[in-house]
């Protein structure tokens, strides 16, 4: 059998388009050139010059990467190609000596992907819902918003106190949560993110993200999410500010809610809910032992 695994280039778009994945309007095809350049790396498994499976990773800072873009041609499924490819991609990613942790984020109803991740020794880390809404009116009760922290050093201190030292999983972008670590947070990011706090309690962080839609991404991964007065008002005000900065875009809300408290959402909540996301991961030491 003529089998080859190689890194894909933007010029390989025709191979990607020739795959029968069963996915209508696959976003990978629309942004294929971006997934092959910059901090994105994409690999393909070829059988007799036919692309039968893809997988890749994206790096975040020097120590972290996220696997993804796992696709397979339905005509070649059940033959172990995806498992071999994702194992190859994992091993290739860890060739970067600074890389310390690699994750993969998949939805709970994607059982085939979970089986592949288990086979390459990634373990489940956490579960959450990526909740999106256009407006938060149903959650507002006119409580005062929180005080904003604007100094970079204050922001760094809040990150260290409430995320790094607490070992939270921090979503650097929508869909991309990682174990909190000093090297996960870059100075340019910290300066652009907004931090809000009330009475010295857990802080809220908001930031702009674009994942097809434009989002005000709110980060508050704590169990008292539904108990904090003024939280939703603060998020709604930040959404309004971002909307004013982006008059030609409709700004939506995105917040990652831990699966452990999702049942506490009020009945009239405004969020769109889909299958929960499961974060899998493996650190360098564990990978070296496998």
């Amino acid at each position: 059998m003529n089998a080859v695994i190689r890194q894909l280039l933007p010029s390989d778009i025709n191979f990607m388009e020739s795959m029968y994945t069963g996915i209508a309007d696959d976003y990978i095809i629309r942004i294929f050139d971006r997934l092959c350049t910059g901090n994105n790396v994409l690999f393909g498994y070829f059988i007799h010059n036919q692309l039968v499976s893809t997988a890749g990773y994206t790096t975040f800072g020097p120590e972290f990467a996220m696997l993804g873009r796992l696709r397979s041609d339905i005509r070649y499924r059940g033959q172990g190609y995806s498992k071999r490819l994702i194992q190859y991609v994992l091993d290739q990613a860890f060739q970067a000596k600074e890389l310390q942790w690699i994750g993969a984020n998949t939805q709970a109803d994607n059982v085939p992907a979970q089986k592949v991740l288990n086979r390459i020794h990634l373990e489940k880390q956490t579960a959450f819902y990526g909740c999106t809404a256009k407006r938060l009116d149903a959650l507002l009760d006119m409580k005062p918003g929180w005080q904003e922290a604007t100094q970079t050093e204050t922001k760094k201190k809040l990150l260290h106190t409430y995320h790094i030292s607490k070992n939270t999983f921090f979503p650097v972008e929508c869909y991309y949560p990682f174990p909190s670590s000093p090297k996960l947070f870059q100075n340019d990011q910290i300066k652009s993110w907004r931090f809000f706090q009330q009475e010295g309690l857990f802080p809220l962080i908001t930031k702009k993200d674009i994942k097809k839609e434009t989002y005000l991404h709110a980060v508050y991964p704590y169990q008292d999410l539904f108990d904090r007065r003024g939280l939703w008002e603060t998020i709604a005000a930040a959404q309004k500010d971002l909307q004013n900065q982006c008059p030609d875009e409709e700004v939506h809300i995105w917040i990652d809610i831990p699966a452990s408290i999702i049942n506490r959402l009020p009945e009239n909540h405004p969020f769109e809910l889909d299958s929960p996301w499961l974060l899998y991961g493996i650190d360098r030491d564990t990978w070296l032992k496998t």
Side-chain angles (χ1 to χ4, degrees):
M1 178 178 66
N2 184 10
V4 174
I5 295 177
R6 67 169 175 83
Q7 187 171 338
L8 297 177
L9 303 173
S11 58
D12 289 315
I13 181 63
N14 291 338
F15 288 108
M16 187 77 219
E17 292 174 335
S18 71
M19 289 180 66
Y20 292 102
T21 63
I23 301 174
D25 190 28
D26 192 348
Y27 82 96
I28 283 184
I29 294 176
R30 296 198 305 272
I31 62 171
F32 186 79
D33 58 334
R34 287 163 46 193
L35 299 181
C36 301
T37 55
N39 64 328
N40 299 297
V41 182
L42 191 63
F43 290 88
Y45 196 118
F46 291 82
I47 301 295
H48 298 299
N49 208 37
Q50 170 67 47
L51 182 61
V52 302
S53 185
T54 66
Y57 64 89
T58 301
T59 56
F60 293 83
E63 293 189 351
F64 297 91
M66 189 70 74
L67 300 175
R69 289 96 197 200
L70 185 60
R71 298 288 187 272
S72 60
D73 192 309
I74 59 177
R75 298 169 296 181
Y76 295 85
R77 288 178 182 170
Q79 301 184 57
Y81 298 140
S82 293
K83 188 268 179 183
R84 291 174 215 166
L85 177 59
I86 199 70
Q87 180 69 67
Y88 178 88
V89 172
L90 179 70
D91 295 340
Q92 285 296 304
F94 268 126
Q95 298 311 305
K97 300 301 183 182
E98 287 188 304
L99 202 62
Q100 298 299 315
W101 191 91
I102 296 178
N105 209 18
T106 186
Q107 288 185 284
D109 58 6
N110 192 346
V111 176
Q114 294 166 48
K115 290 181 178 178
V116 170
L117 297 175
N118 284 324
R119 288 172 187 153
I120 62 172
H121 307 290
L122 270 71
E123 295 185 355
K124 181 181 172 182
Q125 309 283 310
T126 189
F128 60 92
Y129 285 78
C131 300
T132 62
K134 290 187 177 181
R135 297 179 62 87
L136 297 177
D137 295 359
L139 298 175
L140 305 181
D141 55 12
M142 305 308 293
K143 299 298 181 183
W146 298 359
Q147 183 72 32
E148 183 171 5
T150 58
Q151 298 298 315
T152 300
E153 289 307 311
T154 302
K155 294 178 178 182
K156 290 181 178 179
K157 183 177 180 180
L158 290 173
L159 280 173
H160 188 274
T161 301
Y162 294 101
H163 286 281
I164 296 170
S165 66
K166 301 294 184 182
N167 298 313
T168 64
F169 288 95
F170 190 97
V172 177
E173 296 180 11
C174 302
Y175 296 119
Y176 295 115
F178 294 94
S180 295
S181 163
K183 291 190 177 181
L184 178 64
F185 304 110
Q186 307 299 305
N187 285 331
D188 289 345
Q189 292 173 323
I190 296 172
K191 291 178 181 179
S192 67
W193 296 347
R194 300 182 70 184
F195 288 63
F196 304 87
Q197 193 178 29
Q198 179 193 53
E199 300 174 353
L201 300 176
F202 294 127
L204 163 72
I205 299 172
T206 68
K207 48 197 173 69
K208 179 182 178 180
D209 202 348
I210 300 177
K211 295 290 186 289
K212 188 176 181 180
E213 306 289 349
T214 300
Y215 291 101
L216 186 284
H217 189 192
V219 179
Y220 192 89
Y222 307 109
Q223 296 294 309
D224 65 350
L225 175 66
F226 302 111
D227 302 320
R228 295 293 304 280
R229 293 183 177 182
L231 172 62
W232 301 111
E233 286 78 8
T234 307
I235 296 174
Q239 178 192 22
K240 183 178 180 180
D241 291 342
L242 183 57
Q243 184 65 76
N244 290 335
Q245 297 171 25
C246 308
D248 297 327
E249 309 167 39
E250 184 179 13
V251 176
H252 298 233
I253 296 288
W254 180 306
I255 184 169
D256 302 299
I257 298 181
S260 59
I261 61 172
I262 196 68
N263 62 347
R264 295 183 58 195
L265 268 174
E267 291 184 2
N268 64 336
H269 72 79
F271 295 110
E272 294 184 18
L273 298 180
D274 203 346
S275 177
W277 288 89
L278 308 179
L279 177 65
Y280 286 74
I282 186 171
D283 59 43
R284 173 175 290 277
D285 290 341
T286 303
W287 170 74
L288 288 171
K289 295 175 183 176
T290 59

